[in-house]
Every structure is written in structure tokens, then in C-alpha cells.
Coordinates of all heavy atoms in Angstrom, one line a residue:
I725 N -9.9 -9.6 -3.8 CA -9.0 -8.4 -3.8 C -9.8 -7.2 -3.4 O -9.2 -6.2 -3.0 CB -8.4 -8.3 -5.2 CG1 -7.2 -7.4 -5.1 CG2 -9.3 -7.9 -6.3 CD1 -6.0 -7.8 -5.9
I726 N -11.1 -7.2 -3.6 CA -11.9 -6.0 -3.3 C -12.4 -6.0 -1.9 O -12.8 -5.0 -1.3 CB -13.0 -5.8 -4.3 CG1 -13.7 -4.4 -4.1 CG2 -14.1 -6.8 -4.2 CD1 -13.5 -3.5 -5.3
H727 N -12.5 -7.2 -1.3 CA -13.1 -7.3 0.0 C -12.4 -6.5 1.1 O -13.0 -5.8 1.9 CB -13.1 -8.8 0.4 CG -14.1 -9.1 1.4 ND1 -14.3 -10.4 1.9 CD2 -15.0 -8.4 2.1 CE1 -15.3 -10.4 2.8 NE2 -15.7 -9.2 3.0
L728 N -11.0 -6.6 1.2 CA -10.3 -5.9 2.2 C -10.4 -4.4 2.1 O -10.7 -3.7 3.1 CB -8.8 -6.4 2.2 CG -7.9 -5.8 3.3 CD1 -8.4 -6.2 4.7 CD2 -6.5 -6.3 3.1
P729 N -10.2 -3.8 0.9 CA -10.4 -2.3 0.8 C -11.8 -1.9 1.2 O -12.0 -0.9 1.8 CB -10.0 -2.0 -0.6 CG -9.2 -3.1 -1.1 CD -9.7 -4.3 -0.3
L730 N -12.8 -2.7 0.8 CA -14.2 -2.4 1.1 C -14.4 -2.4 2.6 O -15.1 -1.5 3.1 CB -15.1 -3.4 0.3 CG -16.6 -3.1 0.4 CD1 -16.9 -1.7 -0.3 CD2 -17.4 -4.2 -0.2
V731 N -13.9 -3.4 3.3 CA -14.1 -3.4 4.7 C -13.4 -2.3 5.4 O -13.9 -1.6 6.3 CB -13.5 -4.8 5.2 CG1 -13.4 -4.8 6.7 CG2 -14.4 -5.9 4.8
L732 N -12.2 -1.9 4.9 CA -11.5 -0.8 5.5 C -12.2 0.5 5.3 O -12.3 1.4 6.2 CB -10.1 -0.7 4.9 CG -9.1 -1.8 5.4 CD1 -7.8 -1.7 4.6 CD2 -8.8 -1.7 6.9
I733 N -12.7 0.8 4.1 CA -13.4 2.0 3.8 C -14.7 2.1 4.6 O -15.1 3.1 5.1 CB -13.7 2.1 2.3 CG1 -12.4 2.3 1.5 CG2 -14.7 3.2 1.9 CD1 -12.5 2.2 0.0
A734 N -15.4 0.9 4.7 CA -16.7 0.9 5.5 C -16.4 1.2 7.0 O -17.1 2.0 7.6 CB -17.4 -0.4 5.4
G735 N -15.3 0.7 7.5 CA -14.9 1.0 8.9 C -14.5 2.4 9.1 O -14.9 3.0 10.1
I736 N -13.8 3.0 8.2 CA -13.4 4.4 8.3 C -14.7 5.3 8.2 O -14.8 6.2 9.0 CB -12.4 4.8 7.2 CG1 -11.1 4.1 7.4 CG2 -12.3 6.3 7.0 CD1 -10.1 4.1 6.3
A737 N -15.6 5.0 7.3 CA -16.8 5.8 7.2 C -17.7 5.7 8.4 O -18.2 6.7 8.9 CB -17.6 5.3 5.9
A738 N -17.8 4.5 8.9 CA -18.7 4.3 10.1 C -18.0 5.0 11.3 O -18.7 5.7 12.1 CB -18.9 2.8 10.4
G739 N -16.7 4.9 11.5 CA -16.1 5.6 12.6 C -16.1 7.1 12.5 O -16.3 7.8 13.4
G740 N -16.0 7.6 11.2 CA -16.1 9.0 11.0 C -17.5 9.6 11.3 O -17.7 10.6 12.0
L741 N -18.5 8.8 10.9 CA -19.9 9.2 11.3 C -20.2 9.2 12.8 O -20.9 10.0 13.3 CB -20.9 8.3 10.5 CG -21.1 8.6 9.0 CD1 -21.9 7.5 8.4 CD2 -21.6 10.0 8.8
W742 N -19.7 8.1 13.4 CA -19.9 8.0 14.9 C -19.1 9.1 15.6 O -19.7 9.7 16.6 CB -19.3 6.6 15.3 CG -19.8 6.3 16.7 CD1 -19.0 6.4 17.8 CD2 -21.1 5.9 17.1 NE1 -19.8 6.0 18.9 CE2 -21.1 5.7 18.5 CE3 -22.3 5.6 16.4 CZ2 -22.2 5.2 19.2 CZ3 -23.4 5.2 17.1 CH2 -23.3 5.0 18.5
A743 N -18.0 9.5 15.2 CA -17.2 10.6 15.8 C -17.8 12.0 15.4 O -17.5 12.9 16.1 CB -15.7 10.5 15.4
A744 N -18.6 12.0 14.4 CA -19.1 13.3 14.0 C -20.2 13.8 15.0 O -20.4 15.0 15.1 CB -19.7 13.2 12.6
V745 N -20.8 12.9 15.7 CA -21.9 13.3 16.6 C -21.3 14.2 17.7 O -21.8 15.3 18.0 CB -22.6 12.1 17.2 CG1 -23.6 12.4 18.3 CG2 -23.3 11.3 16.0
P746 N -20.3 13.7 18.5 CA -19.7 14.6 19.5 C -19.1 15.9 18.9 O -19.2 17.0 19.5 CB -18.6 13.8 20.1 CG -18.9 12.4 19.9 CD -19.6 12.4 18.6
G747 N -18.6 15.8 17.7 CA -18.0 17.0 17.0 C -19.1 18.0 16.7 O -19.0 19.2 16.9
Y748 N -20.2 17.5 16.2 CA -21.4 18.4 15.9 C -21.9 19.0 17.2 O -22.2 20.2 17.2 CB -22.5 17.6 15.2 CG -23.7 18.4 14.9 CD1 -23.8 19.2 13.9 CD2 -24.8 18.3 15.8 CE1 -24.9 20.0 13.6 CE2 -26.0 19.0 15.6 CZ -26.0 19.9 14.5 OH -27.1 20.6 14.3
L749 N -22.1 18.2 18.2 CA -22.6 18.8 19.5 C -21.6 19.8 20.0 O -22.1 20.8 20.6 CB -22.8 17.6 20.5 CG -23.9 16.7 20.2 CD1 -23.9 15.5 21.1 CD2 -25.3 17.4 20.2
K750 N -20.3 19.6 19.9 CA -19.3 20.6 20.3 C -19.5 21.9 19.5 O -19.5 23.0 20.1 CB -17.9 20.1 20.2 CG -16.8 21.0 20.5 CD -16.8 21.4 22.0 CE -15.6 22.3 22.2 NZ -15.5 22.7 23.6
A751 N -19.6 21.8 18.2 CA -19.6 23.0 17.3 C -20.9 23.8 17.5 O -20.9 25.0 17.5 CB -19.4 22.5 15.9
K752 N -22.0 23.1 17.6 CA -23.3 23.8 17.6 C -23.8 24.1 19.0 O -24.5 25.1 19.1 CB -24.4 22.9 16.9 CG -24.1 22.7 15.4 CD -24.2 24.0 14.7 CE -23.9 23.8 13.2 NZ -23.8 25.0 12.5
M753 N -23.5 23.3 20.0 CA -24.1 23.6 21.3 C -23.0 23.8 22.4 O -23.4 24.1 23.5 CB -24.9 22.4 21.7 CG -26.1 22.1 20.8 SD -27.1 20.7 21.3 CE -28.2 20.6 19.9
G754 N -21.7 23.7 22.0 CA -20.7 24.0 23.0 C -20.5 22.9 24.1 O -20.0 23.2 25.1
T755 N -21.0 21.7 23.9 CA -20.9 20.7 24.9 C -19.4 20.2 24.9 O -18.6 20.4 24.0 CB -21.8 19.5 24.6 OG1 -21.5 19.0 23.3 CG2 -23.3 20.0 24.6
N756 N -19.1 19.5 26.0 CA -17.8 18.9 26.2 C -17.7 17.6 25.3 O -18.4 16.6 25.6 CB -17.6 18.6 27.7 CG -16.1 18.2 27.9 OD1 -15.4 17.7 27.1 ND2 -15.7 18.4 29.2
E757 N -16.7 17.6 24.4 CA -16.6 16.4 23.5 C -16.1 15.2 24.2 O -16.4 14.1 23.8 CB -15.8 16.8 22.3 CG -14.3 17.0 22.5 CD -14.0 18.4 22.9 OE1 -14.9 19.2 23.2 OE2 -12.8 18.8 23.0
V758 N -15.3 15.3 25.3 CA -14.8 14.2 26.0 C -16.0 13.4 26.7 O -16.1 12.2 26.6 CB -13.8 14.6 27.0 CG1 -13.3 13.4 27.9 CG2 -12.6 15.2 26.3
I759 N -16.8 14.2 27.3 CA -18.0 13.6 28.0 C -18.9 12.9 27.0 O -19.4 11.8 27.2 CB -18.7 14.6 28.9 CG1 -17.8 15.2 29.9 CG2 -20.0 14.0 29.5 CD1 -17.2 14.2 30.9
N760 N -19.2 13.6 25.9 CA -20.0 13.1 24.8 C -19.4 11.8 24.2 O -20.2 10.9 23.9 CB -20.3 14.1 23.7 CG -21.2 15.2 24.2 OD1 -22.1 15.0 25.0 ND2 -21.1 16.4 23.6
S761 N -18.1 11.8 24.0 CA -17.5 10.6 23.5 C -17.6 9.4 24.4 O -17.8 8.3 24.0 CB -16.0 10.9 23.2 OG -15.9 11.9 22.2
I762 N -17.4 9.7 25.7 CA -17.6 8.6 26.7 C -19.0 8.1 26.7 O -19.2 6.9 26.7 CB -17.2 9.1 28.1 CG1 -15.6 9.3 28.1 CG2 -17.5 8.1 29.2 CD1 -15.2 10.0 29.3
M763 N -20.0 9.0 26.6 CA -21.4 8.5 26.5 C -21.7 7.7 25.2 O -22.4 6.8 25.2 CB -22.3 9.7 26.7 CG -22.3 10.3 28.1 SD -23.6 11.5 28.4 CE -23.2 12.8 27.3
M764 N -21.0 8.1 24.1 CA -21.2 7.4 22.9 C -20.6 6.0 23.0 O -21.1 5.1 22.3 CB -20.5 8.2 21.7 CG -21.2 9.5 21.4 SD -22.7 9.3 20.5 CE -22.2 8.8 19.0
N765 N -19.6 5.8 23.8 CA -19.0 4.5 24.0 C -20.1 3.6 24.6 O -20.2 2.4 24.2 CB -17.8 4.5 24.9 CG -16.6 5.1 24.2 OD1 -16.5 5.1 22.9 ND2 -15.7 5.6 24.9
Y766 N -20.8 4.1 25.6 CA -21.8 3.2 26.2 C -23.0 2.9 25.2 O -23.5 1.8 25.2 CB -22.4 3.9 27.5 CG -21.4 3.7 28.6 CD1 -20.6 4.8 29.0 CD2 -21.4 2.5 29.3 CE1 -19.7 4.6 30.1 CE2 -20.5 2.4 30.4 CZ -19.7 3.4 30.8 OH -18.8 3.2 31.8
I767 N -23.3 3.9 24.4 CA -24.4 3.7 23.4 C -23.9 2.6 22.4 O -24.7 1.7 22.1 CB -24.7 5.0 22.7 CG1 -25.4 6.0 23.7 CG2 -25.6 4.8 21.5 CD1 -25.5 7.4 23.1
A768 N -22.7 2.7 22.0 CA -22.1 1.7 21.0 C -22.1 0.3 21.6 O -22.5 -0.7 21.0 CB -20.7 2.1 20.6
M769 N -21.8 0.2 22.9 CA -21.7 -1.1 23.6 C -23.1 -1.7 23.6 O -23.3 -2.9 23.3 CB -21.2 -0.9 25.0 CG -21.1 -2.2 25.8 SD -20.5 -2.0 27.5 CE -21.8 -1.1 28.2
Y770 N -24.1 -0.9 24.0 CA -25.5 -1.4 24.1 C -26.1 -1.7 22.7 O -26.8 -2.7 22.6 CB -26.4 -0.5 24.9 CG -26.1 -0.5 26.3 CD1 -25.6 0.7 27.0 CD2 -26.3 -1.6 27.1 CE1 -25.4 0.7 28.3 CE2 -26.0 -1.6 28.5 CZ -25.6 -0.5 29.1 OH -25.3 -0.5 30.4
V771 N -25.7 -1.0 21.7 CA -26.2 -1.3 20.4 C -25.6 -2.6 19.9 O -26.3 -3.4 19.3 CB -25.9 -0.1 19.4 CG1 -26.1 -0.5 18.0 CG2 -26.8 1.1 19.8
A772 N -24.3 -2.7 20.1 CA -23.6 -3.9 19.6 C -24.1 -5.2 20.4 O -24.4 -6.2 19.8 CB -22.1 -3.8 19.9
N773 N -24.4 -5.0 21.7 CA -25.0 -6.2 22.4 C -26.3 -6.5 21.9 O -26.7 -7.7 21.8 CB -25.0 -5.8 23.9 CG -23.7 -6.0 24.6 OD1 -22.8 -6.7 24.1 ND2 -23.5 -5.3 25.7
F774 N -27.1 -5.5 21.6 CA -28.5 -5.8 21.1 C -28.4 -6.5 19.8 O -29.1 -7.5 19.5 CB -29.3 -4.4 21.0 CG -30.6 -4.6 20.3 CD1 -31.7 -5.1 21.1 CD2 -30.8 -4.4 19.0 CE1 -32.9 -5.3 20.6 CE2 -32.1 -4.6 18.4 CZ -33.1 -5.0 19.2
I775 N -27.6 -6.0 18.9 CA -27.4 -6.6 17.5 C -27.0 -8.1 17.6 O -27.5 -8.9 17.0 CB -26.5 -5.8 16.6 CG1 -27.2 -4.4 16.3 CG2 -26.2 -6.5 15.4 CD1 -26.3 -3.5 15.6
I776 N -26.0 -8.3 18.5 CA -25.4 -9.7 18.5 C -26.3 -10.6 19.3 O -26.5 -11.8 18.9 CB -24.0 -9.6 19.2 CG1 -23.0 -8.9 18.3 CG2 -23.5 -11.0 19.6 CD1 -21.7 -8.7 18.9
L777 N -27.0 -10.2 20.3 CA -27.8 -11.1 21.2 C -29.2 -11.2 20.7 O -29.9 -12.2 21.0 CB -27.8 -10.6 22.6 CG -26.4 -10.6 23.3 CD1 -26.5 -10.0 24.7 CD2 -25.8 -12.0 23.3
R778 N -29.8 -10.2 20.1 CA -31.2 -10.2 19.8 C -31.6 -10.2 18.3 O -32.8 -10.1 18.0 CB -31.9 -9.1 20.6 CG -31.7 -9.3 22.0 CD -32.8 -8.6 22.8 NE -32.9 -9.0 24.2 CZ -32.1 -8.5 25.1 NH1 -31.3 -7.5 24.9 NH2 -32.3 -8.9 26.4
T779 N -30.7 -10.3 17.4 CA -31.0 -10.3 16.0 C -30.4 -11.5 15.3 O -29.7 -12.2 16.0 CB -30.5 -9.0 15.3 OG1 -29.1 -8.9 15.3 CG2 -31.1 -7.7 15.9
S780 N -30.6 -11.6 14.1 CA -30.1 -12.8 13.3 C -28.6 -12.6 13.0 O -28.0 -13.5 12.4 CB -30.9 -13.0 12.1 OG -30.9 -11.9 11.2
F781 N -28.0 -11.5 13.3 CA -26.6 -11.2 12.9 C -25.7 -12.0 13.9 O -24.6 -12.3 13.5 CB -26.3 -9.7 13.0 CG -26.9 -9.0 11.9 CD1 -27.9 -8.1 12.1 CD2 -26.4 -9.1 10.6 CE1 -28.4 -7.3 11.1 CE2 -26.9 -8.4 9.6 CZ -27.9 -7.5 9.8
G782 N -26.1 -12.3 15.1 CA -25.3 -13.1 16.0 C -25.4 -14.6 15.7 O -26.2 -15.1 15.0
V783 N -24.4 -15.3 16.3 CA -24.4 -16.8 16.2 C -25.5 -17.3 17.1 O -25.5 -17.0 18.3 CB -23.0 -17.3 16.5 CG1 -23.0 -18.8 16.5 CG2 -22.0 -16.8 15.6
Q784 N -26.4 -18.2 16.6 CA -27.5 -18.7 17.4 C -26.9 -19.6 18.6 O -26.1 -20.4 18.4 CB -28.3 -19.6 16.5 CG -29.7 -19.9 17.0 CD -30.6 -18.6 17.0 OE1 -30.1 -17.5 16.6 NE2 -31.7 -18.7 17.5
G785 N -27.4 -19.3 19.8 CA -27.0 -20.0 21.0 C -25.7 -19.5 21.6 O -25.3 -20.1 22.6
K786 N -25.1 -18.5 21.0 CA -23.8 -18.0 21.6 C -23.9 -16.5 21.6 O -24.7 -15.9 20.9 CB -22.6 -18.4 20.7 CG -22.3 -19.8 20.7 CD -21.0 -20.0 19.9 CE -20.6 -21.5 19.8 NZ -19.4 -21.7 19.0
S787 N -23.1 -15.9 22.5 CA -23.1 -14.4 22.5 C -21.8 -14.0 21.7 O -20.9 -13.5 22.2 CB -23.0 -13.9 23.9 OG -21.9 -14.4 24.6
A788 N -21.9 -14.3 20.4 CA -20.8 -14.0 19.5 C -21.3 -13.6 18.2 O -22.4 -14.0 17.8 CB -19.8 -15.1 19.5
S789 N -20.4 -12.9 17.4 CA -20.8 -12.6 16.0 C -20.1 -13.7 15.1 O -19.2 -14.4 15.6 CB -20.3 -11.2 15.6 OG -18.9 -11.1 15.8
P790 N -20.5 -13.8 13.9 CA -19.8 -14.8 13.0 C -18.3 -14.4 12.8 O -18.0 -13.3 12.9 CB -20.6 -14.7 11.7 CG -21.9 -14.0 12.0 CD -21.6 -13.2 13.2
L791 N -17.5 -15.4 12.5 CA -16.1 -15.2 12.2 C -16.0 -14.3 10.9 O -16.7 -14.4 10.0 CB -15.4 -16.5 12.0 CG -15.3 -17.3 13.3 CD1 -14.6 -18.7 13.0 CD2 -14.6 -16.6 14.4
I792 N -14.9 -13.5 10.9 CA -14.6 -12.7 9.8 C -14.0 -13.6 8.7 O -13.2 -14.4 9.0 CB -13.6 -11.6 10.1 CG1 -14.2 -10.7 11.2 CG2 -13.2 -10.8 8.9 CD1 -13.3 -9.7 11.8
K793 N -14.5 -13.4 7.5 CA -14.0 -14.2 6.4 C -12.5 -14.0 6.1 O -12.0 -12.9 6.4 CB -14.7 -13.9 5.1 CG -16.2 -14.3 5.2 CD -16.9 -14.2 3.8 CE -18.3 -14.6 3.9 NZ -18.6 -16.0 4.1
E794 N -11.8 -15.0 5.6 CA -10.3 -14.8 5.4 C -10.0 -13.7 4.4 O -9.0 -13.0 4.6 CB -9.8 -16.1 4.8 CG -9.5 -17.2 5.8 CD -8.4 -16.8 6.8 OE1 -7.4 -16.2 6.3 OE2 -8.5 -17.2 7.9
S795 N -10.9 -13.4 3.5 CA -10.6 -12.4 2.5 C -10.7 -11.0 3.1 O -10.3 -10.0 2.5 CB -11.5 -12.5 1.3 OG -12.8 -12.4 1.7
A796 N -11.3 -10.8 4.2 CA -11.5 -9.5 4.9 C -10.5 -9.3 6.0 O -10.5 -8.2 6.6 CB -12.9 -9.4 5.4
R797 N -9.6 -10.3 6.3 CA -8.7 -10.1 7.4 C -7.4 -9.4 7.0 O -7.0 -9.6 5.8 CB -8.4 -11.5 8.0 CG -9.5 -12.1 8.7 CD -9.1 -13.4 9.3 NE -10.3 -14.1 9.9 CZ -10.3 -15.2 10.4 NH1 -9.2 -15.9 10.5 NH2 -11.4 -15.7 10.9
I798 N -6.9 -8.7 7.9 CA -5.6 -8.0 7.6 C -4.5 -8.9 8.3 O -4.5 -9.2 9.4 CB -5.5 -6.6 8.2 CG1 -6.6 -5.7 7.6 CG2 -4.2 -6.0 8.1 CD1 -6.7 -4.3 8.2
G799 N -3.5 -9.3 7.5 CA -2.4 -10.0 8.0 C -2.5 -11.5 7.9 O -3.2 -12.3 7.8

């Protein structure tokens, strides 16, 4: 019963922190937040690929992450 809310809160927190970077750059340096957000998408893609393909978090021999447990799924 605690797994689903914990996963949702962690996702919200991680997304908020990730979106805070372009917001901070816009507020402090006046940069364009659209361009920064697009660049952050590429950074996120390369970080996710690195984690899945080159660490123990990925499934060995596949370019995939482990399946999400039933208790953490919505629906």
C-alpha cells in the first residue's frame, strides 16, 4: 500500500528537480528556458542510456531495465 505513493512522490520530486535547472538558469542568467529544456532532454537520454547499458541497474545481456513490480504499477 505504501509502494505506489512512494513511487509517485519520488517521480514528482525527481521531475521537479530536473525542471528546476532550466528555471534557475532563466531566473539567474536570463537564458531561454525552451532551449535549456531541450538540451536537458538530451542529457537525460544519455544518462538513462549509461545507467541501463553500463551499470548493474540494467538487465544483463539486454538493453532494458528490470520490470516494474506489480505493487508500483498504476492501473
Side-chain angles (χ1 to χ4, degrees):
I725 196 142
I726 188 114
H727 201 182
L728 183 60
L730 186 63
V731 169
L732 288 173
I733 291 170
I736 291 168
L741 287 173
W742 194 257
V745 174
Y748 176 80
L749 291 172
K750 173 70 174 179
K752 295 297 181 186
M753 298 181 188
T755 60
N756 189 333
E757 68 274 10
V758 174
I759 301 299
N760 286 333
S761 296
I762 292 170
M763 290 190 296
M764 292 288 288
N765 288 337
Y766 282 101
I767 294 169
M769 179 182 66
Y770 286 117
V771 167
N773 281 338
F774 177 80
I775 290 172
I776 290 171
L777 296 175
R778 296 206 166 85
T779 65
S780 61
F781 289 110
V783 176
Q784 199 69 2
K786 293 184 179 180
S787 59
S789 61
L791 294 177
I792 298 172
K793 295 191 183 284
E794 279 294 323
S795 61
R797 291 186 185 174
I798 298 175

